[in-house]
Amino acid sequence: MSTLVRKAVFPAAGLGTRFLPATKAQPKEMLPLVDTPMIQYVVEEAVASGIAEIIVVYRLDKQSIKRHFNDFDKKVTFRYAIQPKPRGLGHAVLAARRLVGNEPFAVLLGDDIVSDAPKPCLRQLLDVFEKHREPVVAVERVPRETVGRYGVIDGLKIGERVWEINDLVEKPKPEEAPSDLAIIGRYVLTPDVFPILARTRPGARGEIQLTDALRALRRRRPMYAVEFEGRRYDTGDKLGFLQATVELALARPDLGDAFRAYLKTLRL
């Protein structure tokens, strides 16, 4: 599979506080959905999309991530960048700058698992990037009352599930949001985002927001959004984690029938 984008960045330095006490003993990214760590689902999506180099941004106390991928597909290269202290998604992406170099790259967030798609979610973005050669983000329609959890785009629809972005807003109030199209954890970016990230000032919580940098980048060049096809699970949320576990188990040929029969016996 040919692609202009060879590298993908995986931020994995977060503290995983929503999954304490389990994350005292293991990284959140290694929590299993059935029998596969969350981060592996997203790495497999990247590889299926044509990515050849995986860059994991992590903390030194998350060595189990490195050990897990020691025996992964040998056609894929794994490299690691250290983010000593989590200071926001923008800071995590900036930590990968030296390993990415001067070429376009993808960013995938391990909390967002996308299944049941006609083609991998990242591949959908890469197809748009290869057409326009400009940054692309994934978006999904969310209930208006929840837009304050996301970055949200203001855009013009230019094709089937494709939008040209006019502006991006980080965590707007529902009544002030320009749309209900929320940015989720898939991006294809150009290297000129790095100098912008380096100049982006931390917000109130001391975090550097990627959306703020993308807003500045949009003022310099066109940017696109793909309303991707597929079922997204927010596995950074406990309910989303449970939903993903159940639905992915039901989709398994080796487990689905027996698990479905068991669920039917429950008095719900």
Side-chain angles (χ1 to χ4, degrees), residues 145-179:
E145 63 271 17
T146 69
V147 294
R149 304 175 192 172
Y150 303 92
V152 177
I153 71 160
D154 174 28
L156 174 67
K157 192 170 186 180
I158 61 169
E160 182 68 24
R161 310 184 78 90
V162 179
W163 301 73
E164 184 168 0
I165 296 174
N166 296 320
D167 198 4
L168 309 91
V169 182
E170 178 67 17
K171 298 179 179 177
K173 295 179 180 178
E175 64 274 14
E176 297 175 358
S179 75

Side-chain angles (χ1 to χ4, degrees), residues 18 32 55 61 88 122 131 140 142 162 171 195 210 241 247:
R18 283 186 286 179
I55 300 169
D61 61 348
L122 179 61
K131 178 179 180 180
E140 179 181 58
V142 299
V162 179
K171 298 179 179 177
L210 180 59
F241 180 87
E247 294 185 30

Side-chain angles (χ1 to χ4, degrees), residues 6 13 23 25 53 66 72-73 77 83 88 118 131 165 179 191 195 223 228-229 232 236 240-241 253 265:
R6 303 183 306 111
T23 46
E53 185 171 319
K66 293 184 71 173
F72 197 72
D73 188 340
T77 301
Q83 185 187 19
K131 178 179 180 180
I165 296 174
S179 75
M223 189 175 296
F228 66 93
E229 295 182 84
R232 178 181 72 100
F241 180 87
T265 69

Side-chain angles (χ1 to χ4, degrees), residues 27-77:
K28 179 189 68 176
E29 295 81 8
M30 292 298 295
L31 294 176
L33 294 171
V34 189
D35 55 8
T36 302
M38 291 193 289
I39 192 172
Q40 183 170 326
Y41 283 95
V42 188
V43 167
E44 289 176 349
E45 177 190 319
V47 174
S49 300
I51 297 296
E53 185 171 319
I54 305 296
I55 300 169
V56 181
V57 179
Y58 79 127
R59 298 196 322 266
L60 287 176
D61 61 348
K62 292 190 172 188
Q63 294 296 322
S64 60
I65 295 176
K66 293 184 71 173
R67 291 195 298 270
H68 178 73
F69 287 113
N70 279 344
D71 298 320
F72 197 72
D73 188 340
K74 297 303 181 183
K75 296 190 293 293
V76 181
T77 301

